[in-house]
Amino acid sequence: MTAQELYRRLKQELERIVRLHHLNESPIMLKSRGLSPEEAIGNTRRKDYPILAGKEIMLQAQFGSALGQAFTDAPSDFCGTLDDVLALDPENDPHSRGLLVATLNAVMRHTGDIDHTVHCRNDDLELCAEACAAHIREHFGAPRITLIGYQPALTARLSREFPLRVLDMNPRFVGDVKSGVTIEHGETGYRSAVLEWSELVLCTGSTLCNGTFVNFVGIGRPVIFFGISGAAAARILHLPRFCPKSS
């Protein structure tokens, strides 16, 4: 699957849901906006989350009373209809990708197809990391893990128990040592850390918004997608997702 095929598939699924539930007959408008760091994740013990560094924005879409979120580095405030979203060009426009992902999460939450589309806050980020370690231990033993997308609580917790490598695209983090792990570049470290070394990949769903999500589908080893961005895509593509503390 290419990135272009992925975005086409997501748009087709949104079109199907709109037809199935007659959502195009509803006067409800879709609204989306970027959240402040405090709105998105609250007051966290760790202060080096990407959203606090200003690299990413949490985009929140609302359809009816349902909320859908997505992390993106190309946010857009938006107010319009589902037809307006379906007219966007996520294949070529990064701003459109965030809108499509957040919208699909909100709409599928509205229809009851998914849940856990709103990010956890405050101390729940640390509790999520504990739950993730327990989940991996129970289902995979003690694998070599490659974490895609630097996440401070996950990095700190997983590095205490598992062999860990971390990839990220943000030059602010690449080369830094976090919890004893050197952050590697997401492109140059991909083959070594993902395809050759890892026994399990833990991948942020925000890769949907930067176009690299497809690099972690069908790669011949287990992949778990974490976070709220990938809620709808994981359901559509039948991919495992772990996001225990979101709401």
Side-chain angles (χ1 to χ4, degrees):
M1 176 185 294
T2 66
Q4 290 75 22
E5 290 169 339
L6 169 66
Y7 296 126
R8 263 182 241 132
R9 173 77 182 276
L10 297 182
K11 284 184 68 173
Q12 288 167 357
E13 184 64 17
L14 181 57
E15 289 175 330
R16 186 190 71 80
I17 292 170
V18 168
R19 291 195 305 269
L20 178 65
H21 296 276
H22 307 288
L23 299 181
N24 56 337
E25 299 174 5
S26 170
I28 295 174
M29 297 285 282
L30 174 79
K31 298 179 181 179
S32 74
R33 67 183 182 93
L35 302 182
S36 70
E38 184 174 357
E39 287 178 303
I41 64 174
N43 184 19
T44 59
R45 178 162 67 87
R46 303 176 195 277
K47 301 303 179 183
D48 58 345
Y49 287 95
I51 193 171
L52 299 178
K55 172 63 175 175
E56 289 186 335
I57 294 293
M58 176 79 81
L59 190 66
Q60 178 170 283
Q62 180 171 352
F63 186 75
S65 61
L67 300 177
Q69 297 178 336
F71 275 113
T72 176
D73 60 2
S76 297
D77 287 343
F78 175 88
C79 182
T81 66
L82 291 177
D83 283 341
D84 293 330
V85 175
L86 289 169
L88 297 174
D89 182 18
E91 296 180 34
N92 300 296
D93 177 25
H95 297 279
S96 296
R97 291 172 196 161
L99 285 171
L100 175 63
V101 171
T103 297
L104 196 52
N105 287 339
V107 169
M108 291 185 70
R109 179 68 178 263
H110 172 81
T111 59
D113 292 306
I114 60 172
D115 53 18
H116 290 273
T117 58
V118 176
H119 203 284
C120 62
R121 294 166 49 81
N122 304 323
D123 293 338
D124 278 344
L125 283 87
E126 302 293 329
L127 297 177
C128 173
E130 287 291 342
C132 187
H135 179 81
I136 292 170
R137 188 187 317 118
E138 177 182 357
H139 294 280
F140 299 95
R144 296 190 302 270
I145 301 171
T146 295
L147 175 63
I148 306 300
Y150 171 60
Q151 205 270 22
L154 281 174
T155 300
R157 180 60 187 86
L158 296 179
S159 66
R160 298 206 315 261
E161 184 172 348
F162 307 97
L164 181 69
R165 293 172 72 173
V166 180
L167 302 186
D168 200 278
M169 300 291 283
N170 186 350
R172 178 167 181 169
F173 296 130
V174 173
D176 286 355
V177 178
K178 303 288 188 178
S179 301
V181 180
T182 300
I183 310 301
E184 303 175 60
H185 193 278
E187 290 182 350
T188 58
Y190 172 79
R191 174 168 291 279
S192 171
V194 175
L195 300 182
E196 297 173 353
W197 181 83
S198 72
E199 294 173 317
L200 172 68
V201 175
L202 193 60
C203 181
T204 174
S206 61
T207 51
L208 278 167
C209 297
N210 69 19
T212 62
F213 184 91
V214 294
N215 295 343
F216 306 99
V217 177
I219 59 173
R221 65 209 61 223
V223 179
I224 301 173
F225 292 91
F226 69 90
I228 42 82
S229 302
R235 175 62 62 87
I236 293 165
L237 300 172
H238 307 290
L239 300 172
R241 172 180 173 245
F242 190 77
C243 197
K245 297 300 178 180
S246 55
S247 60

